[in-house]
Amino acid sequence: MEYKILDENKLINVNKPSRYMGREKNAIVKPFDQVEVPMAFAFPDLYDVGMSHLGSKILYEIVNNLDFSSMERVYTPWPDFEALLRQEGATLTTLETQTPLAKFPLLGITLQYELNYTNILTILDLAQIPFYAKERTQDHPIIIGGGPGAFNPEPVADFFDLIVLGDGEIILPKLLQLYRDLQREIGSRPKRREFLLKACLLQGVYVPEFYQPSYDQEGILQAYRRTEAEAPYPVKKQIVADLDEAPYPETMLLPFGEVIHDRAMIELFRGCTAGCRFCQAGCIYRPVRERSLELLTKQAELLIRATGYDEVSLISLSSMDYTEIESLVDTLLNRYGCEGVGLALPSLRVDSFSVDLAHRVQEVRKSGLTLAPEAGSQRLRNIINKRISEEQIIEAVSGAFDAGWSSLKLYFMIGLPGETDEDLQAIVDMAEKIVSIWRQKRRKGQLRISISVATFVPKPHTPFQWFGQISQEEVERRQRYLRSLIKSRQISLSTHDAKTSFLEAVFSRGDRRLAPSIISAYQLGARFDGWTEHFRFDLWQQSFEQLGIDAHDYAHREIEQTAVLPWDHLDSGIRKEWLQKEWNLAMACQETDDCRFGPCSLCGVCMDYGVANDLKGRS
Amino acid sequence: MKVRVVFTKELQLRWISHLDLIKTIEKALRRAQVPLALSQGFNPRPKMSIAAPLALGLSSKSELLDFELQVRVDLKALQTKINEHLPEGLEFIQLYEVPSKGPSLMSLVTVSHYQFRFFKSLKVLELEKIVELINQKEELLFEVEQKRRTRTIDLKPGIFALYTTDDCGEIFLNAVLETSSSRFIRPNYIVDLINEHLQEPLELEDYIIQREKILLKLK
Ligand code: SF4
Ligand code: SF4
């Protein structure tokens, strides 16, 4: 097939052409025709978001370091660029070599967020690749999914040939090798079925077409039936046991323009065992695996020199829990502070230790302070297992005021299991209490407390997976109620759009029967659903209605603990009994310790996968 | 030590905005470990300024940049080192020291010479005739948008020269325009002037403008 490539001069008609231009510093360009197994990698969101994502940058360098393979990038075109491609009849190409996506033998697409699903279709559509795997031919790429969304990919599973579960830096090179070996054997592109049959034997590989769901007359999921005897059940994830042994980036792709997170990033550890019961990342990435202080300082040096960034972000799910966080911060500040290089701590814990450390870091930079108590009352914090006390919160805030902060951002969630209006009142009470602390301290300046309230979305593989989201009307009522309680003018409230959270819940707990609704919403014009300025809920409603899909059922239903779930065949390492136990503890308002610092609570991953929490600072 | 640089912004670099250009240069200077002098305050920034910003889409053979260093360095060696770290399309072609307390770069810029290259075939005769017509006018009233208000200005005193050149049969339009802070004639105004005479106006994608030279006031 012939594909038309866009004439570069036409880029003058779009906003920020550098998004589609490639050739950034540290981009790796290997001639497409000279690579045995070239792979395209799509990030289904705007360039500015994709270029801020650490995981993709890691994979980019790892795959490009393989001598037989390459990785070329593509992002979802913003609507102006999409319109230009359509108007010109041009196909979507990669940034590195301007090769049409459809020509690649393999195309990876990362699943980061449920509301990116239509963006996946935009990419396939503009690349002239059929949506459904079963409609694609031998000449089309094999499409590989991955990322956190891989743990419930069912709404989009039919679009993928295979999906990888767990740490991509191990499984992806293995897959590429397998493809290369088969290709060498037969001297041409392997047959897709042959490749899939071999691939599904690798730990961490899920081939959706080998697992077919069945439903009873009422539409209740009964089971997943394997169509191939070799296909494993359940599909296990892939884990890097020792992060020091895993490859890490030594340079970093550098966008020309300013993107969302425009700074060097080092990953302190993977996984989090704090055990917040709503949190999917805290479940699917277990156990905790730290990088050593030595390796991290080396990595920071390499990255600063390779990029010229003036800020290094210390990335992980809860950076403050890194066992050697203080030494790391001190070392980096001593070494680079005088060059004007600052540090960013993206996830503060709510305690005075964290605030002190943030203060030390801010000696180079100054910005607002963000804390996430998640729930206002102690009872509700026990339910969600956010193990912080009111005392700790007060201490942290006082410390922040003493250190000179006058602007605070507080994150909360509403719609949590067991939540009552009293718990909402407790959110506002906490904020008012903070205002009174400020008054007592008689500090100069203007206090600003911004309360940001998200709506709970039930996530697969968490103790709260069975609990339904509250209805949109109820979300809006609780938001209004919260707003009515606020008395001080120093406190401002921002809430999440209820419709957006609803759609997140639908797809978070969705199954394969949702795929047609994504296609029809896309065809009706849904794009960039995660962006307020583009989100069109009416298109989704129309799409669900046309297809007779009861979206509310997916989002709001309280699922029986005995029910078969659309992600039961995908093993995150966490045992279902543990999730049930955690649910029961939540209902009894009881906490569970962080197994890094307390006893093992037997979630299962360490026993079943032969791994353990790896705290480098303890050994 | 204050250093003035003449640099190019060509090839794909024409697709980056002025702001992104500054960021790109800043990062390259850091990679080259240039001892930049930083501003004071919570958000220390390198002391850097670029003259007469180029709009996105234009390329240039001669842009000007000033930056300050904490220490004195050998400029030849500095140039080689920085060029190793600049992305393709960006090159520092000349560096020289200027007095630290001298006038700001922007206040020194007077005129720029632009060259227009066309992708759509224009008849040589036609373009020459239009240029002649424009040159003969005593006054060139032109509507520009400034601060959300349209204002009519006379372009004539800001156009120092407008002529065509021919290179192996390909026709180029040349314009020498005032680009000082008191009068800044954007090169796309010239395209608009030409379009008034064309049956089929030039679209944005039909031409590319390159800044050939930027001239400074001699004190
Ligand atoms: S601290 Fe809690 S919310 Fe944060 S990553 Fe860990 S488990 Fe999730
Ligand atoms: S098995 Fe035990 S130690 Fe391992 S992550 Fe689970 S709770 Fe923690």
Side-chain angles (χ1 to χ4, degrees), chain A residues 6-14 84 88, chain B residues 15 205-206:
Chain A
L6 186 78
D7 169 10
E8 190 187 295
N9 287 310
K10 307 265 183 200
L11 282 181
I12 191 77
N13 297 301
V14 301
L84 179 64
E88 297 295 318
Chain B
W15 296 122
E205 65 224 42
D206 294 336

Side-chain angles (χ1 to χ4, degrees), chain B residues 25 58 69 71 134 143 148 153 161 188 194 199:
Chain B
I25 294 177
L58 273 68
L69 299 178
V71 287
I134 296 174
E143 286 200 344
R148 285 207 224 118
I153 55 164
N188 55 312
I194 289 175
Q199 291 232 316

Side-chain angles (χ1 to χ4, degrees), chain A residues 8-13 17-18 21 23 25 254 256-258 262 305-310 339 364-365, chain B residues 12-16 20 23-24 27 30-31 33 38 42-45 56-57 85 87 119 204-205:
Chain A
E8 190 187 295
N9 287 310
K10 307 265 183 200
L11 282 181
I12 191 77
N13 297 301
S18 61
M21 170 184 96
R23 292 173 278 192
K25 180 79 192 165
L254 206 58
F256 286 111
E258 209 155 335
D262 199 19
R305 298 304 166 225
T307 61
Y309 272 128
D310 60 0
E339 293 181 33
V364 190
R365 289 288 134 85
Chain B
Q12 78 271 15
L13 265 289
R14 77 184 177 100
W15 296 122
I16 73 171
D20 293 344
K23 293 262 163 208
T24 301
K27 283 180 200 146
R30 281 180 190 281
R31 287 195 295 275
Q33 301 196 36
L38 301 179
F42 278 140
N43 252 321
R45 299 243 57 94
L56 191 143
H85 288 278
F119 299 113
L204 285 171
E205 65 224 42

Side-chain angles (χ1 to χ4, degrees), chain A residues 125-246:
Chain A
D125 196 16
L126 292 172
Q128 294 154 273
I129 299 171
F131 295 152
Y132 283 109
K134 61 173 190 280
E135 286 170 5
R136 294 194 287 262
T137 68
Q138 184 64 17
D139 293 328
H140 289 118
I142 287 176
I143 300 190
I144 304 173
F151 285 95
N152 180 26
E154 291 306 278
V156 290
D158 287 337
F159 307 150
F160 287 85
D161 295 285
L162 68 85
I163 291 168
V164 297
L165 270 59
D167 297 323
E169 61 255 81
I170 305 199
I171 184 68
L172 198 52
K174 281 193 188 157
L175 268 177
L176 291 165
Q177 258 162 30
L178 174 69
Y179 191 90
R180 178 201 61 185
D181 294 346
L182 285 174
Q183 178 167 276
R184 281 190 184 167
E185 226 170 84
I186 57 171
S188 65
R189 280 193 188 183
K191 289 256 176 309
R192 97 197 281 111
R193 190 180 149 74
E194 259 165 62
F195 174 68
L196 294 179
L197 275 172
K198 289 232 160 64
C200 79
L201 302 177
L202 296 172
Q203 183 177 336
V205 173
Y206 167 45
V207 178
E209 81 178 59
F210 294 168
Y211 303 79
Q212 290 301 326
S214 56
Y215 307 93
D216 70 6
Q217 279 165 344
E218 271 146 50
I220 308 286
L221 180 63
Q222 295 299 299
Y224 271 82
R225 186 175 50 84
R226 273 178 289 173
T227 61
E228 300 298 331
E230 300 93 314
Y233 191 99
V235 181
K236 295 185 86 181
K237 71 171 175 179
Q238 185 59 260
I239 309 186
V240 177
D242 182 350
L243 218 54
D244 273 0
E245 309 270 303

Side-chain angles (χ1 to χ4, degrees), chain A residues 416-562:
Chain A
L416 290 162
E419 181 179 275
T420 64
D421 282 0
E422 280 159 35
D423 300 302
L424 303 177
Q425 174 78 54
I427 293 177
V428 179
D429 288 348
M430 186 191 290
E432 295 287 358
K433 188 154 188 182
I434 293 172
V435 175
S436 66
I437 294 172
W438 173 268
R439 291 223 177 92
Q440 280 163 21
K441 294 199 180 274
R442 296 171 190 280
R443 299 212 73 96
K444 281 196 210 78
Q446 179 69 40
L447 172 67
R448 283 213 323 267
I449 302 178
S450 330
I451 305 180
S452 172
V453 175
T455 301
F456 166 73
V457 175
K459 294 282 183 178
H461 305 283
T462 66
F464 288 175
Q465 63 183 0
W466 296 282
F467 185 76
Q469 188 175 59
I470 54 175
S471 72
Q472 281 174 58
E473 298 74 45
E474 181 58 17
V475 171
E476 279 155 8
R477 186 197 68 80
R478 291 191 198 184
Q479 290 175 343
R480 274 195 311 273
Y481 179 62
L482 265 176
R483 204 170 289 284
S484 74
L485 295 173
I486 294 172
K487 296 283 173 296
S488 304
R489 54 180 177 78
Q490 292 94 332
I491 305 174
S492 67
L493 173 71
S494 69
T495 52
H496 283 201
D497 174 42
K499 298 181 175 72
T500 302
S501 308
F502 166 70
L503 210 57
E504 286 169 8
V506 172
F507 287 108
S508 166
R509 301 203 302 179
D511 57 38
R512 288 201 194 169
R513 292 171 294 185
L514 286 174
S517 73
I518 303 171
I519 295 183
S520 76
Y522 169 78
Q523 283 163 344
L524 290 168
R527 300 286 188 282
F528 288 96
D529 304 294
W531 295 68
T532 332
E533 67 260 53
H534 288 296
F535 184 51
R536 293 268 313 270
F537 188 62
D538 56 322
L539 302 180
W540 285 98
Q541 272 175 314
Q542 202 179 326
S543 162
F544 292 137
E545 257 162 50
Q546 274 171 12
L547 293 159
I549 289 174
D550 183 3
H552 294 279
D553 189 59
Y554 285 102
H556 301 143
R557 182 163 48 109
E558 170 118 35
I559 304 175
E560 298 268 321
Q561 295 221 348
T562 49

